[in-house]
Every structure is written in C-alpha cells, then in structure tokens.
Amino acid sequence: MAGDSEKLTLQVKNFGPIAEGEVDLRPLTVFIGPSNTGKSYLATLIYALHRFFSGGDSLLSDRMYDRRYTRLPYLDLYPKISRDQALRLFEWFEESYFAEERGALSKKEMNTPLPNDIADMVRPLLFPDEELSPVLGEEIARFYGVGSLDSLVRYPGDSGAQIFFQRHANKELTLDCCFNIDGSKPSITTSIPDTTRLSLDNPPPYSVLHWHTLYTGTSDRTTKDRERKARDLLRWLAEAVYPDITGNISCPVHCLPPGRTGIMHAHCVIMSAMIERATVAGIHPPAQLPTLNGVIADFLMTLIALRSQRQRASRKEMTKLAESLEKNVLGGAVNIEKSLVPNMYPSFVYRPDGWDRDLPLMNTASMVSELAPLVLYLRHVVQEGDTLIIEEPEAHLHPAMQTALMRELVKAVHAGIRIIITTHSEWMLETLGNLTLKSELPNRQGKSDCIKPEDVGVWLFKPREDDSGSVVQEIEFDQQTGFTPQQHSDLIEALYNEWAGISSAIEDNKAQ
C-alpha cells in the first residue's frame, strides 16, 4: 500500500478559518467537522502543494494545463560552474555508469548515495527559496481564486499565517518547508538536512549518455560548451533525486470539487461561454469576467481532455475499480459519448443495468452525476501512486450507498491511490470504523475489504468556544467506537432525549 514507509505532516496557523492544526497525510485521510471550520480550505492547500511540488505535471495531455513553470526551472540561476567542477562531474559520471569499454553501461548497483562533492553541486538546484516564494504564492492564490494572499489569513488573528510541511522517510527527515504569509510578500524556507542522502534509483536515460565524451581534458569542445553540458548533467541529477526527496508530495494530484453535479451538467456551456467571450474581446469593451478558482478550472480542463483519452491495457487495475464502483454503487455504466463533430466538448452518458440505450447525465439521478467524475477519473486519469482528493463524496447518496462507496474507496487505497476526503457523513465513518476493525481478524492482511489502523487518519475540525477559529484534532481509532466524533454521539443522544420527552408529553396528555 502506498505510503507505508513515509510520513507527510502538514501544520497551519491562522490560515483561513483554522486557528491552528496539524495533520498527517496517510493512504486514507478523512476530514470531518461542522461547516465553515476549514476542511475544504485545508484540502485545497494540500492540492496546491501537490501541484507545486510536482511542477504541475499531469498524466493527461500537456495541453490541459498552463505549464507556467517546470519542476526545476532555476538552473540558469546556478553559479558559474568551474572547469574543475565540470571535470569532476564527468569523471564521476564515467566511473558510475560506464564499464572500461567506452559506451557500455555499467552494472553498478543503483540507489547508492551521491558523493558529497557531487551532492553539494546538486543541492542548490532543488529548492532555491528566494525564487520559489513568489511561484508558490501565485499558485496558492490561484487555487483559492483570490488576488491577494492576505485574504487567506485568518481575521481577526495574528499578523500572518504560516504553513509548515515536513516529509519523513524511513525515520529520516527528508524535506522541511515553511511558508509564511505576512503582508504582500510571502516567504518560503526549505531545507534538506545534511544527513539526507541524495541517491539515484535508476540509470540515466540514453539522451544523457553522450555527456561522458566531454570528460577528457583534451576534448575539442569549447569551455562554454563544456560548462553547458555540465549544467545539463546537473539538471538531470537534480531531476533524478528530486522525487526521492519530496516523495508522495511530488506525485500527481487530482481533485473532485464540491458541486460536481452542477459542473457536470454545465461544463460545455461554461467553456463555450468563456471561449466565445475570449474571441470577441477586441470587439466589445472590456468587462469584468467572473473567475474560477484553480481547483474548479483544473476539473473542467480534465473533463475536456477526456475526449482524447483512450483506455489502455496498463490501466487494468484502475478500470476494475471503476467497474466495481459502477456495479456496487451506481447500478449502471458511465461513458463518454462519441461525437460526430470534430473538437466538440465531450458529453457524458449513463446506461442503467439492463438498458439498451444511454441517458444524458442531466436526466439521471443526482447520485449518478455526482459520482460520474469519480468513475471517469478512475478509468482515464488516476494512476497508482497518485493522490485523489474528493470533497463531500456522500453528496446526494442514500446512506446505504454511502457505506458502499466507502468500501470502494478502501479498495482504491489498496490499489495504490492515496485518498483524501472531506465529509459530514456519519455512515461513511461508521463503515470505515468497521473496515478498520475487520483488519484485526486473522488472515485479513492485504485484503481489500479492510484497512489497517495505521493507514487511516481521521481529523476533526472543531470550532473554538470563543469563536477565534477552529482547531484540528485527530480522532484515533477505538475498537468500541471506531472513528465516531463525540459531537455525533452528543447529537444522537440529544435527539433521543427530545423524542423521549415528546413521547412522555403525549402519554401524559392522554392520561388527563
């Protein structure tokens, strides 16, 4: 199961509705609590951090995202590489990847640490704080749909907000990142402890193998060309060690926002209107257009890109998850309708079990249009190792279907997808508690109908009594109560007492 040897910790202070909170991102992470306590706020931040550390990479076509920056765009800021440094790079490359016979790849064991002097050349490329600060600030603002980061600071509150992220792997702190929002200029501080090894898990691609020819000091290459090739080699090394440093936070992320039913029904109209407005911008006077936050914009662009996607044999495991969801929850199949008109936006249809024709999503139950994106993402987008954020998955679902959906999400975790959900559903929490308890039975290890307690994190967003924001607390698994928050138990007891009081009053009235 993904993430077993890795711990991702996120702390926030004075961030939106949240006064303070700390969460560990596990294979299955659940945010629960009253409305307006920051569940979606924190989920959006996690999405933004994933997108930032992954460089905005997508498993779909590159055209679906505005790739304003690459994962490591700051190579040109690296200090001038000396001749001795360049020669040392080529010498190490030659020794590490080539046998005595020129051009033959070495069989040297991989996943070994880089030498200290080589690692010291690579480190400055990974996280140049001064250059990263505005990029991360812009990215966070985009996903919240705000013009200024100041609006994300809790008010009234202290002078600023703080976001603190840590990644631990094998009991070793691999990455430490602190982002401060204080005034108009955000600041980021990142560090990789000296004890963290930089290592390579795979041999270099064929495209870099020719660099070893520049090792010899008698090369007829110019000094400028030698330096350029050395910088190219540094770029490859930085790209190669980057995933090992960042771990799951640099893996692709996908988010299913709240209100999916309306978006699914209207996505063609929304995109057509935006494009039409763009084509007449020079004809009509400029107008203030409404903006979408980055999460919804990415969701819309993903829906559009699905038109060009084709099912691949390599997606068998994800396709099984989609089919299981259709069978056990939806009672029918969700598909992309083929259009005879080139470049038309895709439309989505649903065929109930036993039917011989399709229904447009707008003519189906709201449960279908709410879960259709999850089916489509599993079938066409999400891969093993990705993170999938689902806001309010219980929306428009009968309690029985909520419990069935939680079982499907646990199956997805076993398939290697890291899942984060925000929810108000007691039914889903009760089901999750049962599936966690079931893992204690003999011979249940690795079974997809249960989940180990250490792979689940349930976090309660709780408002402070003095209305000074919310705090985030973990609900630890209990064999007697599962993950049920105390507020749910208090509410059930209050409703029962109310029912008992009314019944008693009725009986007293009859006796008179």
Side-chain angles (χ1 to χ4, degrees), residues 274-481:
M274 291 176 67
I275 292 175
E276 180 182 359
R277 181 62 196 176
T279 59
V280 299
I283 302 174
H284 297 288
Q288 183 65 40
L289 294 176
T291 59
L292 299 173
N293 68 45
V295 177
I296 296 178
D298 284 358
F299 179 63
L300 282 168
M301 293 303 292
T302 301
L303 294 180
I304 292 173
L306 289 177
R307 179 192 65 225
S308 60
Q309 298 306 303
R310 299 289 184 268
Q311 285 187 263
R312 300 184 296 274
S314 61
R315 298 193 53 82
K316 285 184 178 180
E317 188 69 22
M318 299 299 113
T319 300
K320 288 180 181 178
L321 292 175
E323 292 174 348
S324 180
L325 180 63
E326 290 172 324
K327 175 183 177 181
N328 297 321
V329 181
L330 289 180
V334 176
N335 291 298
I336 303 173
E337 186 175 47
K338 296 181 180 180
S339 174
L340 298 178
V341 182
N343 300 321
M344 278 293 294
Y345 300 120
S347 57
F348 308 104
V349 294
Y350 169 72
R351 178 172 294 191
D353 291 340
W355 286 43
D356 58 1
R357 63 185 180 89
D358 297 325
L359 290 174
L361 278 187
M362 67 179 62
N363 295 334
T364 65
S366 55
M367 176 191 74
V368 175
S369 52
E370 195 72 23
L371 288 183
L374 179 54
V375 172
L376 294 168
Y377 270 53
L378 291 174
R379 183 167 282 138
H380 299 286
V381 181
V382 181
Q383 297 273 27
E384 180 181 353
D386 291 6
T387 293
L388 177 61
I389 301 173
I390 312 173
E391 297 253 27
E392 301 176 8
E394 75 276 9
H396 303 292
L397 268 65
H398 183 276
M401 295 298 99
Q402 294 180 33
T403 63
L405 176 59
M406 178 54 77
R407 298 178 191 277
E408 298 302 312
L409 295 180
V410 168
K411 291 180 184 178
V413 172
H414 278 275
I417 304 173
R418 298 176 66 89
I419 292 180
I420 300 171
I421 66 173
T422 67
T423 183
H424 297 280
S425 173
E426 178 187 352
W427 305 104
M428 296 190 75
L429 277 186
E430 290 281 358
T431 306
L432 181 58
N434 290 347
L435 298 180
T436 305
L437 182 61
K438 192 174 184 179
S439 69
E440 304 293 332
L441 291 172
N443 302 321
R444 302 311 301 175
Q445 294 297 320
K447 301 293 184 181
S448 63
D449 61 349
C450 60
I451 187 168
K452 296 182 294 185
E454 59 266 30
D455 289 331
V456 182
V458 179
W459 306 92
L460 174 65
F461 289 66
K462 182 180 179 181
R464 286 175 167 174
E465 294 182 359
D466 60 358
D467 295 327
S468 61
S470 62
V471 294
V472 185
Q473 301 173 346
E474 182 178 3
I475 303 177
E476 296 185 358
F477 175 69
D478 183 275
Q479 287 195 356
Q480 301 300 320
T481 60

Side-chain angles (χ1 to χ4, degrees), residues 239-292:
E239 290 278 5
V241 303
Y242 183 87
D244 191 46
I245 297 299
T246 55
N248 286 314
I249 198 67
S250 65
C251 292
V253 64
H254 318 278
C255 185
L256 302 182
R260 293 179 290 280
T261 295
I263 298 175
M264 291 297 291
H265 288 172
H267 77 281
C268 292
V269 176
I270 295 172
M271 296 308 299
S272 296
M274 291 176 67
I275 292 175
E276 180 182 359
R277 181 62 196 176
T279 59
V280 299
I283 302 174
H284 297 288
Q288 183 65 40
L289 294 176
T291 59
L292 299 173

Side-chain angles (χ1 to χ4, degrees), residues 43-99:
T44 299
L45 174 63
I46 294 169
Y47 181 73
L49 290 174
H50 266 281
R51 294 277 284 134
F52 173 75
F53 280 104
S54 68
D57 289 342
S58 168
L59 293 176
L60 296 181
S61 169
D62 291 343
R63 293 172 295 177
M64 66 176 291
Y65 287 117
D66 175 17
R67 301 184 66 180
R68 295 172 296 162
Y69 58 90
T70 59
R71 177 178 286 167
L72 296 169
Y74 304 111
L75 184 66
D76 292 337
L77 300 173
Y78 194 86
K80 182 178 178 63
I81 298 176
S82 68
R83 181 178 184 276
D84 289 342
Q85 284 180 312
L87 289 176
R88 170 61 181 136
L89 272 172
F90 299 136
E91 177 184 10
W92 166 81
F93 188 64
E94 178 86 5
E95 293 174 348
S96 300
Y97 297 106
F98 289 90

Side-chain angles (χ1 to χ4, degrees), residues 164-183:
F164 186 67
F165 168 78
Q166 285 186 327
R167 185 213 174 205
H168 297 262
N170 299 321
K171 299 181 180 180
E172 179 184 85
L173 176 62
T174 309
L175 179 63
D176 190 330
C177 175
C178 183
F179 184 66
N180 292 292
I181 303 174
D182 189 1

